[in-house]
Amino acid sequence: MKLLKTLTGVAGAIALATGSAFADDLRWKMPVAFATNLPGLGSPAAWVADNLTTASDGSIQVRVYEPGKLVPPFDILQAVSDGKIEAGYTWIGYDQGKVPAIPLFAAVPFGMKPWAYTAWYYYGGGHEMLQEVYANKGFDVHAQLCGIIGPETAGWYAKPIKTLEDYEGLKIRFAGLGGKVLEKLGASVTMMPGGELYQALEKGTIDATEFSMPAIDQILGFNQVVKYNLFPGWHQQFTAQYMLINQDQWDKTTEAQKALVKASCTAATTLALAEGEYKNGKVLAEFQDKGVQADQIPRDVLKKLKAVTEEVLKQEAAKDADFKRVYESQNEFMETYKVWDTRAYVPSDL
């Protein structure tokens, strides 16, 4: 982390010395969807804000506002687009009701591993498509990938999931496209911010919930209410977070300022994945001592979930041209990536 800060700071110092860096100082407010104490999910926002200040020698200052302190988590996109705030940091899948293709950039059931997603995003045209998807739905934002973590858990339940029928009638908080899959199976799916989930579980407003990876779920205390934590996280094999910047604000920045934002977010993406991968194993290993039953969803149930997922994705693609275009691009990349993925990596059981 120190090396990344140093390199970025050197780049900023060189630009300042040449007189070409920053025509005007930037002072941006940036509400976040996740508390900055949440590893890999909220922590990148705070790191980016600090690094931009350091690397720009104070010319760029981004003030981070914890969830709900300035803008409700689910209102960040609209507030940024309307120019009420200069920037926001969020999981953009929350806005699938406004921008149907957006979940494909946030988390896809049975989708890519995080490093495969970044390969497609950076080199397969994903970044450019994301800007087009927002513009096509009338949103004036520049979106920058600014964090990614690996699989979530498949949720926290009062009893294990053994068949697809176990989802029927279940009141569950489930996000994104995965939520559409469970709705198709008869679950009553609701959406609420992470900070409200413990109380909702405790009061019985919901029967079950998913939110994130073990290192985060433990902080939120779900294991204090229900004891079955299911794996694998079929609905979110990767979870990507973004820094959204008002388009007018982005257009006003110099090339040097743009470069620092891009470099900081790219570094934050790497650090977010590393933080999650570092912390999750230890947390999961200690769950048994806390009375948590970490179960695997049976393979036959996973196969059925995948079949329903494919139905949902095809239906969404038929309803929205942007969704279809992005979905086809990701599938095309995965056809060749699988050749590499299945041959190159040592099986995890060896």
Side-chain angles (χ1 to χ4, degrees), residues 199-231:
Q199 190 175 36
L201 271 178
E202 192 176 41
K203 290 185 174 181
T205 306
I206 53 176
D207 303 317
T209 187
E210 60 78 44
F211 186 67
S212 193
M213 57 190 183
I216 289 174
D217 289 353
Q218 176 185 241
I219 293 172
L220 297 180
F222 302 146
N223 59 289
Q224 299 171 21
V225 186
V226 290
K227 297 299 183 181
Y228 284 95
N229 188 206
L230 301 187
F231 295 85

Side-chain angles (χ1 to χ4, degrees), residues 159-283:
K159 58 183 180 179
I161 299 295
K162 297 296 185 183
T163 69
L164 288 190
E165 287 71 31
D166 291 334
Y167 287 110
E168 189 169 352
L170 194 69
K171 294 182 296 183
I172 186 169
R173 186 272 190 194
F174 222 76
L177 292 167
K180 289 183 177 292
V181 172
L182 293 194
E183 283 179 337
K184 203 171 181 67
L185 295 173
S188 175
V189 177
T190 189
M191 198 54 203
M192 59 182 72
E196 300 177 12
L197 295 178
Y198 181 93
Q199 190 175 36
L201 271 178
E202 192 176 41
K203 290 185 174 181
T205 306
I206 53 176
D207 303 317
T209 187
E210 60 78 44
F211 186 67
S212 193
M213 57 190 183
I216 289 174
D217 289 353
Q218 176 185 241
I219 293 172
L220 297 180
F222 302 146
N223 59 289
Q224 299 171 21
V225 186
V226 290
K227 297 299 183 181
Y228 284 95
N229 188 206
L230 301 187
F231 295 85
W234 59 271
H235 65 300
Q236 290 191 205
Q237 286 288 284
F238 75 90
T239 298
Q241 300 88 251
Y242 294 81
M243 185 175 179
L244 301 180
I245 302 164
N246 175 267
Q247 190 65 55
D248 288 341
Q249 289 290 329
W250 183 250
D251 291 342
K252 291 175 184 176
T253 60
T254 66
E255 290 305 308
Q257 290 168 335
K258 287 183 173 69
L260 275 185
V261 171
K262 292 175 182 177
S264 294
C265 276
T266 302
T269 299
T270 300
L271 292 171
L273 182 59
E275 187 176 15
E277 294 300 293
Y278 180 76
K279 292 181 175 178
N280 281 323
K282 185 175 186 295
V283 172

Side-chain angles (χ1 to χ4, degrees), residues 26-297:
L26 297 182
R27 299 292 182 263
W28 288 351
K29 296 177 181 178
M30 185 172 78
V32 298
F34 314 107
T36 54
N37 70 321
L38 299 181
L41 196 63
S43 59
W47 185 88
V48 164
D50 289 343
N51 194 63
L52 284 172
T53 298
T54 301
S56 69
D57 199 25
S59 175
I60 302 175
Q61 294 183 23
V62 178
R63 183 176 178 183
V64 172
Y65 291 81
E66 295 292 331
K69 297 298 183 182
L70 186 63
V71 174
F74 294 170
D75 293 346
I76 288 175
L77 169 62
Q78 194 67 59
V80 173
S81 180
D82 291 346
K84 294 178 180 177
I85 49 176
E86 294 83 5
Y89 186 89
T90 185
W91 182 70
I92 60 178
Y94 291 142
D95 294 305
Q96 68 178 4
K98 301 173 182 176
V99 190
I102 278 300
L104 295 172
F105 298 91
V108 183
F110 295 94
M112 301 181 220
K113 295 169 183 173
W115 48 90
Y117 176 76
T118 59
W120 172 80
Y121 178 84
Y122 290 124
Y123 292 96
H127 175 76
E128 292 76 18
M129 285 188 209
L130 179 55
Q131 316 313 313
E132 294 165 2
V133 163
Y134 274 126
N136 289 345
K137 291 297 185 287
F139 289 98
D140 295 322
V141 297
H142 171 84
Q144 195 72 43
L145 178 62
C146 212
I148 197 166
I149 57 175
E152 297 191 345
T153 80
W156 292 81
Y157 304 80
K159 58 183 180 179
I161 299 295
K162 297 296 185 183
T163 69
L164 288 190
E165 287 71 31
D166 291 334
Y167 287 110
E168 189 169 352
L170 194 69
K171 294 182 296 183
I172 186 169
R173 186 272 190 194
F174 222 76
L177 292 167
K180 289 183 177 292
V181 172
L182 293 194
E183 283 179 337
K184 203 171 181 67
L185 295 173
S188 175
V189 177
T190 189
M191 198 54 203
M192 59 182 72
E196 300 177 12
L197 295 178
Y198 181 93
Q199 190 175 36
L201 271 178
E202 192 176 41
K203 290 185 174 181
T205 306
I206 53 176
D207 303 317
T209 187
E210 60 78 44
F211 186 67
S212 193
M213 57 190 183
I216 289 174
D217 289 353
Q218 176 185 241
I219 293 172
L220 297 180
F222 302 146
N223 59 289
Q224 299 171 21
V225 186
V226 290
K227 297 299 183 181
Y228 284 95
N229 188 206
L230 301 187
F231 295 85
W234 59 271
H235 65 300
Q236 290 191 205
Q237 286 288 284
F238 75 90
T239 298
Q241 300 88 251
Y242 294 81
M243 185 175 179
L244 301 180
I245 302 164
N246 175 267
Q247 190 65 55
D248 288 341
Q249 289 290 329
W250 183 250
D251 291 342
K252 291 175 184 176
T253 60
T254 66
E255 290 305 308
Q257 290 168 335
K258 287 183 173 69
L260 275 185
V261 171
K262 292 175 182 177
S264 294
C265 276
T266 302
T269 299
T270 300
L271 292 171
L273 182 59
E275 187 176 15
E277 294 300 293
Y278 180 76
K279 292 181 175 178
N280 281 323
K282 185 175 186 295
V283 172
L284 188 55
E286 294 173 349
F287 267 173
Q288 188 172 351
D289 295 336
K290 298 180 179 181
V292 175
Q293 184 69 41
D295 283 352
Q296 296 297 122
I297 298 175

Side-chain angles (χ1 to χ4, degrees), residues 289-333:
D289 295 336
K290 298 180 179 181
V292 175
Q293 184 69 41
D295 283 352
Q296 296 297 122
I297 298 175
R299 186 174 177 83
D300 64 317
V301 175
L302 283 174
K303 286 184 175 180
K304 293 173 183 175
L305 283 168
K306 186 176 182 182
V308 177
T309 293
E310 290 172 352
E311 289 178 19
V312 168
L313 292 174
K314 289 177 181 176
Q315 288 170 355
E316 294 299 307
K319 293 188 290 186
D320 183 81
D322 282 337
F323 192 107
K324 182 175 185 293
R325 181 166 61 97
V326 176
Y327 181 51
E328 288 176 349
S329 174
Q330 291 182 344
N331 285 342
E332 183 180 352
F333 164 70

